[in-house]
Amino acid sequence: MTAPRRQRKRRNFLVPTLSTAVMLAVLLGLGVWQLRRLAWKDGILAAIAAAEAAPPVALPAAPTPFEKVVVHGRYLPVIALYGAEVRETARGPTMGGQLLQVLVPAAGPPLLVARGWIPDGALAAFAEAAPAVSVIGFVRLPARPGWFTPRDDPGRLRFYTLDPARIGAALGLKTVAPFTLMAMGPPPPGGIPAPAENLPRPPNNHLSYALTWFGLAIALAVIYGLWLRRYWRQEGAGGDE
């Protein structure tokens, strides 16, 4: 066998083999990383389930989005509507949004409370002050508008980005808490506003992602094995020249 042919034979074997080894290591690494993410996410979901089953805690100075809290205060007759969501009602599919009302707590700045879903046109029915209340819920941190987020309409008290600072300023508030309290619990008589029923839970798709990466690794190994068998058959058939 001539030297150029030996070099070509070595290159024809090494390049696919090394490339396969690198890609296999990457795929297996991604699969292991997703398994670690799965364990981390399972821990978060277990903590959320425990918080949901436990009594609510007093609203801390720096609340997290995955804890159940309670706030005592009174509602001001300052309201707005957030978002656009169609829900099934007795009248059929109905467009509506989250009723936002300003709550003045016993201590601290006013805060926006998303009391629950109401249909369009029902906002004026809630424009009144309320006696002392206790609101149980969870917090949502400020959001930023995306590329396709509709523009807020302060004139109609309709907002599409849940940004307490911007909404509070549009409602005439000098100060407002830097988060929104999303009310939880059963709906009142009449069904509206319909608050959230559970704490939010982040998606947990890491097992399916891990299986996908491991599946691709197996497929790559099978393809390489078939190629390797064909390679050695060709080399055996060609023999040394």
Side-chain angles (χ1 to χ4, degrees):
M1 181 184 296
T2 63
R5 188 174 185 278
R6 283 196 301 269
Q7 293 177 355
R8 185 169 64 252
K9 179 180 178 181
R10 187 180 301 112
R11 185 172 60 252
N12 291 343
F13 174 76
L14 288 178
V15 171
T17 300
L18 292 177
S19 299
T20 299
V22 170
M23 290 188 291
L24 193 61
V26 170
L27 292 173
L28 291 175
L30 288 171
V32 171
W33 177 66
Q34 287 295 342
L35 289 179
R36 291 174 179 172
R37 295 277 294 178
L38 174 64
W40 167 74
K41 188 65 68 66
D42 284 343
I44 291 179
L45 293 174
I48 293 173
E52 193 169 68
V57 299
L59 180 67
T64 66
F66 302 117
E67 62 181 334
K68 188 169 61 174
V69 300
V70 60
V71 183
H72 308 286
R74 58 184 179 86
Y75 283 121
L76 296 179
V78 180
I79 57 173
L81 202 62
Y82 162 67
E85 179 185 358
V86 176
R87 291 196 180 185
E88 192 67 35
T89 67
R91 297 179 296 172
T94 304
M95 175 64 73
Q98 289 287 321
L99 168 65
L100 295 178
Q101 192 159 4
V102 177
L103 180 76
V104 179
L111 68 150
L112 292 179
V113 177
R115 296 181 59 186
W117 182 90
I118 62 173
D120 285 356
L123 189 62
F126 299 93
E128 58 183 18
V133 294
S134 296
V135 183
I136 296 174
F138 58 92
V139 302
R140 279 188 57 180
L141 300 180
R144 293 183 178 181
W147 287 101
F148 303 104
T149 303
R151 182 175 298 180
D152 294 337
D153 188 355
R156 298 179 54 221
L157 300 175
R158 190 70 176 255
F159 299 89
Y160 296 95
T161 300
L162 198 55
D163 184 343
R166 293 181 60 184
I167 297 175
L171 296 179
L173 299 176
K174 294 182 179 180
T175 59
V176 66
F179 51 81
T180 303
L181 180 65
M182 312 298 291
M184 293 175 58
I192 60 172
E197 297 180 359
N198 305 101
L199 288 173
R201 283 169 168 76
N204 188 14
N205 301 317
H206 299 295
L207 179 59
S208 62
Y209 295 156
L211 292 177
T212 298
W213 291 123
F214 288 139
L216 291 173
I218 293 173
L220 177 62
V222 170
I223 292 173
Y224 176 75
L226 294 175
W227 172 85
L228 188 62
R229 184 175 65 176
R230 181 181 178 185
Y231 173 83
W232 287 118
R233 282 181 176 177
Q234 291 177 344
E235 289 300 319
D240 291 336
E241 295 179 1

